[in-house]
Amino acid sequence: MAERRAVPTMKDVAREAGVSLGTVSKVVNGIPVGREYKERVEAAIQKLEYRINSYAKGLKSSQTYTVAVMVPNLISPFFARLVDAINRELSARQYRMLFYATDYDPEQEQELVMLAEQQKVDGIIVLSYNPNLKVSEDVSLVSIDRYFGAQIPCVSSDNYGGGRLAAEKLVENGCKHLAFLRIGSKLTNEPNKRKDGFISACEAMDVPYTLKIVDDYTPYAAFEGFLHEHYRDGKLDFDGIFCVTDSLAHQIVVTLQTMGVRTPEDVQIIGFDGVRHFGDLELTCSTIVQPVEEMAAACVDMVLERRTTKMASLVCLPVSYAYGGTTKA
Amino acid sequence: MAERRAVPTMKDVAREAGVSLGTVSKVVNGIPVGREYKERVEAAIQKLEYRINSYAKGLKSSQTYTVAVMVPNLISPFFARLVDAINRELSARQYRMLFYATDYDPEQEQELVMLAEQQKVDGIIVLSYNPNLKVSEDVSLVSIDRYFGAQIPCVSSDNYGGGRLAAEKLVENGCKHLAFLRIGSKLTNEPNKRKDGFISACEAMDVPYTLKIVDDYTPYAAFEGFLHEHYRDGKLDFDGIFCVTDSLAHQIVVTLQTMGVRTPEDVQIIGFDGVRHFGDLELTCSTIVQPVEEMAAACVDMVLERRTTKMASLVCLPVSYAYGGTTKA
């Protein structure tokens, strides 16, 4: 059964410490006071379990200890993991997180960025689908996966390296003809580089490849059509497929099953992201794992340091390959 | 390429409208001013795309338009969906969400509730694992899935009804001997009622059942042992299993596969939650679906209305059955 109790106020702390309210306020705001006073206030804060109202404190010091985080939604397991990791990084630094879902809506994103700016957050971390996002000069903003130009720092996986790694792993596992499947935004963004890395590795290894690239609005049936077109005499034209996400890889495995094509015996499949069943069980497929914790730490470091001019405009963090049952190793 | 631009301030609005700063402040804070002044200020706000700083406004009106939301993590797809839905409800009402992950840590939960109280949020929505959570009388708090007593409103699925429904569906699909498997907190919480509802339906239908209930700290191997114990002459002792979550159902299906037991041919399995692959693809198993959107709306309604004394202390929202491949229908 929960107890109800009163929240201690700054006044209670002053009474307990036997000092004025002004003294408590100074200690709380880091303004120097006599050592004995400071100790008395700190002891009272501890005894009463008083928590500093950083909300009010924020306005005074023009720091709010608050960072706004914006991603399209929390339904996608990759976004959810990313926000979870960013939240842990912020908490460890005593910062609060305001969370906004943007629903892939460019206008909504612009609106939310402006709102956050005016609410004086200390920074904004955004995974944006708005290529024309306007950002105030006053605000510290870090972008995930979309490079806006040198003035806005961007954190991303090494998508190019991941594309290369996927092609290399498939060939290492014996594949002779590869395919790359992609559904996604037409906007230039970092994940586009997965394809470029894949092609570059295929060409370096002199391995033939086939591409099927469609935009967000294309129904999944386009991939079913593609697979059927490339299915002749009970055999697929390719024996290795790299899918742009684990989610697409999962759907392709299910479609191939209905066609009687076995994974990984007949065709090996590699996804991208590193999504696990129910967040913490086995991997959903063999995959290129994004370093989510490292990306979160980089975003938080960069957004709080505000070293916009000094720092790299694009930070690409290393990915890794993980076996998840849809390849031979 | 993103443009950098200055954020308009209240001063800019005053200049544009040709009024004093005080007049702008009054309009923004809903204090009556002459009609012409009001219209000029509103036109300037619109023209400059000025966003009201509800952060500063909050302190003045003692409302912050902010609700703190606390769940263990965003890794679990059910928690992530719930927070996503609560976020949508809050946004629709022009409220902001402060998000906190508690990591199932009772001390952390208490700490965060106290912090949120002192930061003057308008309310707290918490999915708590702290049975002794202390809450200030001043704060509007709604609990999800844990009933603390009449003074703290609680929102939950109809877990009891869900347990009954699972047993009934298994029997409807031809099962003759059922099992219920649960891993979870020993603390009394709403999900416990899934078992009670299941047993009540089995007894009403006069169907034999077997229970395997372990606490959070028990390794999954306990369920593997249980399944092997009940596997004789190439057959399981039961032909229908209700698992306390979809995550457990998924693991059981995988274990049975390795034992050569087929789902749903040899044994039918129903989970609980309604989790979809990658958040928006097919269901992970046949399941009792929690009404996440309705739960989110109820939490937000209740936390903002603060009708603590007038309102129901426990709101149980209706669940439904959905076929997801691990049953015959």
Side-chain angles (χ1 to χ4, degrees):
Chain A
M1 196 73 86
E3 276 173 46
R4 291 278 186 178
R5 53 152 192 73
V7 182
T9 64
M10 219 186 254
K11 269 190 198 167
D12 297 328
V13 174
R15 197 175 306 121
E16 176 69 30
V19 301
S20 73
L21 199 56
T23 304
V24 177
S25 170
K26 279 182 187 160
V27 172
V28 161
N29 286 291
I31 298 162
V33 298
R35 192 178 154 191
E36 197 208 317
Y37 283 125
K38 184 157 184 270
E39 285 172 2
R40 273 156 64 181
V41 170
E42 285 172 351
I45 284 174
Q46 197 143 21
K47 183 175 170 196
L48 297 181
E49 296 186 51
Y50 174 76
R51 291 308 180 279
I52 292 161
N53 181 348
S54 67
Y55 197 82
K57 191 187 166 197
L59 280 178
K60 213 164 245 175
S61 67
S62 93
Q63 251 199 301
T64 56
Y65 299 98
T66 306
V67 170
V69 175
M70 301 172 189
V71 304
N73 61 58
L74 294 175
I75 305 293
S76 148
F78 177 69
F79 296 151
R81 266 177 68 211
L82 191 59
V83 174
D84 187 277
I86 292 172
N87 186 262
R88 274 159 219 281
E89 287 293 332
L90 288 172
S91 293
R93 290 164 169 82
Q94 315 288 328
Y95 275 75
R96 311 182 305 173
M97 185 177 102
L98 277 173
F99 173 73
Y100 298 94
T102 62
D103 245 340
Y104 297 98
D105 177 346
E107 281 183 34
Q108 169 93 331
E109 285 175 10
Q110 183 64 65
E111 182 82 10
L112 289 173
V113 165
M114 291 174 69
L115 198 68
E117 287 171 355
Q118 296 199 338
Q119 291 178 343
K120 310 287 182 208
V121 295
D122 292 346
I124 300 174
I125 298 171
V126 61
L127 195 152
S128 172
Y129 285 78
N130 182 336
N132 304 309
L133 194 69
K134 292 177 197 163
V135 182
S136 150
E137 286 168 7
D138 310 326
V139 79
S140 174
L141 184 140
V142 171
S143 165
I144 302 172
D145 276 354
R146 180 176 304 286
Y147 181 66
F148 286 103
Q151 80 283 25
I152 294 180
C154 174
V155 171
S156 168
S157 286
D158 179 3
N159 287 292
Y160 189 91
R164 285 193 68 94
L165 185 56
E168 288 164 2
K169 280 288 164 186
L170 288 169
V171 169
E172 212 178 293
N173 281 327
C175 298
K176 304 288 182 211
H177 187 131
L178 306 188
F180 172 69
L181 308 186
R182 168 161 208 239
I183 182 161
S185 166
K186 271 187 170 171
L187 302 169
T188 309
N189 60 10
E190 284 301 310
N192 279 326
K193 296 184 182 169
R194 292 172 199 172
K195 178 195 72 183
D196 301 332
F198 174 82
I199 292 176
S200 130
C202 287
E203 294 185 344
M205 295 183 294
D206 209 14
V207 170
Y209 61 89
T210 308
L211 305 177
K212 177 67 178 176
I213 295 174
V214 302
D215 72 21
D216 275 335
Y217 303 100
T218 312
Y220 174 73
F223 290 113
E224 291 174 326
F226 171 80
L227 292 174
H228 282 285
E229 275 165 37
H230 287 272
Y231 188 66
R232 296 169 237 252
D233 308 326
K235 242 178 120 262
L236 269 185
D237 288 345
F238 25 80
D239 53 4
I241 306 178
F242 172 41
C243 295
V244 72
T245 61
D246 290 344
S247 169
L248 183 57
H250 168 83
Q251 292 177 82
I252 296 295
V253 170
V254 171
T255 300
L256 290 172
Q257 236 166 23
T258 66
M259 293 167 63
V261 179
R262 295 165 307 163
T263 308
E265 295 84 348
D266 304 328
V267 62
Q268 299 184 61
I269 298 181
I270 295 181
F272 200 106
D273 277 347
V275 171
R276 291 180 175 275
H277 284 292
F278 295 89
D280 59 357
L281 301 179
E282 74 277 21
L283 288 165
T284 58
C285 58
S286 295
T287 186
I288 305 299
V289 182
Q290 296 209 56
V292 174
E293 279 72 28
E294 289 76 6
M295 290 169 74
C299 286
V300 171
D301 281 348
M302 288 162 79
V303 87
L304 296 182
E305 291 182 10
R306 307 187 63 134
R307 295 179 314 163
T308 316
T309 50
K310 279 181 267 169
M311 68 186 154
S313 55
L314 176 62
V315 171
C316 288
L317 296 163
V319 296
S320 56
Y321 170 74
Y323 168 74
T326 56
T327 48
K328 289 181 182 163
Chain B
M1 194 73 86
E3 276 173 45
R4 289 280 187 175
R5 52 151 193 71
V7 181
T9 64
M10 219 185 253
K11 269 189 196 166
D12 297 328
V13 174
R15 198 176 304 121
E16 175 69 31
V19 300
S20 73
L21 198 56
T23 304
V24 177
S25 169
K26 279 182 186 161
V27 172
V28 161
N29 286 290
I31 297 162
V33 298
R35 192 177 153 190
E36 199 207 316
Y37 285 125
K38 185 159 184 269
E39 284 170 4
R40 274 156 63 183
V41 170
E42 284 171 351
I45 284 174
Q46 197 143 23
K47 184 174 167 196
L48 299 180
E49 298 187 49
Y50 174 75
R51 290 309 179 282
I52 292 161
N53 181 348
S54 67
Y55 198 81
K57 192 187 164 199
L59 279 180
K60 215 167 244 176
S61 67
S62 91
Q63 251 199 301
T64 55
Y65 299 97
T66 306
V67 170
V69 175
M70 301 172 188
V71 304
N73 61 59
L74 295 175
I75 305 293
S76 149
F78 178 69
F79 296 150
R81 268 178 68 212
L82 191 60
V83 174
D84 187 277
I86 292 172
N87 187 262
R88 275 159 219 281
E89 287 292 331
L90 288 172
S91 293
R93 291 164 168 82
Q94 315 288 329
Y95 274 75
R96 313 183 302 175
M97 186 176 102
L98 277 172
F99 174 73
Y100 298 94
T102 63
D103 245 340
Y104 297 98
D105 177 346
E107 280 182 34
Q108 169 95 329
E109 285 176 11
Q110 183 64 67
E111 183 82 11
L112 290 172
V113 165
M114 291 173 71
L115 199 68
E117 287 170 357
Q118 296 199 339
Q119 290 177 343
K120 309 288 181 209
V121 296
D122 292 345
I124 301 173
I125 297 171
V126 60
L127 197 152
S128 172
Y129 284 79
N130 181 336
N132 304 309
L133 195 69
K134 291 177 198 165
V135 182
S136 150
E137 286 167 9
D138 309 328
V139 79
S140 174
L141 183 140
V142 171
S143 165
I144 301 172
D145 277 354
R146 180 177 304 286
Y147 181 66
F148 286 104
Q151 79 282 27
I152 295 180
C154 174
V155 171
S156 166
S157 287
D158 180 3
N159 287 293
Y160 188 92
R164 285 194 67 95
L165 186 56
E168 287 164 2
K169 281 288 166 190
L170 288 169
V171 170
E172 211 177 294
N173 280 329
C175 298
K176 304 290 182 208
H177 188 133
L178 306 188
F180 172 70
L181 309 187
R182 167 159 208 241
I183 183 160
S185 165
K186 272 188 173 172
L187 301 171
T188 309
N189 62 8
E190 284 300 311
N192 279 326
K193 294 184 183 169
R194 293 173 197 170
K195 179 195 72 184
D196 301 332
F198 175 81
I199 292 176
S200 130
C202 286
E203 294 186 345
M205 295 183 294
D206 209 13
V207 169
Y209 62 89
T210 308
L211 305 177
K212 178 67 179 178
I213 295 173
V214 302
D215 71 22
D216 275 336
Y217 303 102
T218 312
Y220 174 74
F223 289 112
E224 292 176 324
F226 171 80
L227 292 174
H228 282 286
E229 274 164 38
H230 287 271
Y231 187 66
R232 293 170 238 252
D233 308 325
K235 241 178 121 262
L236 268 187
D237 288 343
F238 26 81
D239 52 4
I241 306 179
F242 173 41
C243 295
V244 73
T245 61
D246 290 345
S247 169
L248 182 58
H250 168 83
Q251 293 177 80
I252 296 294
V253 170
V254 171
T255 300
L256 289 172
Q257 236 164 25
T258 66
M259 293 167 63
V261 180
R262 296 164 308 161
T263 308
E265 295 85 346
D266 304 329
V267 62
Q268 299 184 63
I269 298 181
I270 295 181
F272 200 106
D273 279 345
V275 171
R276 292 180 175 276
H277 284 291
F278 296 91
D280 59 357
L281 301 178
E282 75 277 20
L283 288 166
T284 57
C285 57
S286 295
T287 186
I288 304 300
V289 182
Q290 296 209 54
V292 174
E293 280 72 26
E294 289 77 6
M295 289 169 75
C299 286
V300 171
D301 281 347
M302 289 163 79
V303 87
L304 295 183
E305 292 182 9
R306 305 187 63 133
R307 296 179 311 165
T308 316
T309 50
K310 277 181 268 170
M311 68 187 154
S313 54
L314 176 62
V315 172
C316 288
L317 295 162
V319 296
S320 56
Y321 170 75
Y323 169 74
T326 55
T327 48
K328 289 181 182 162

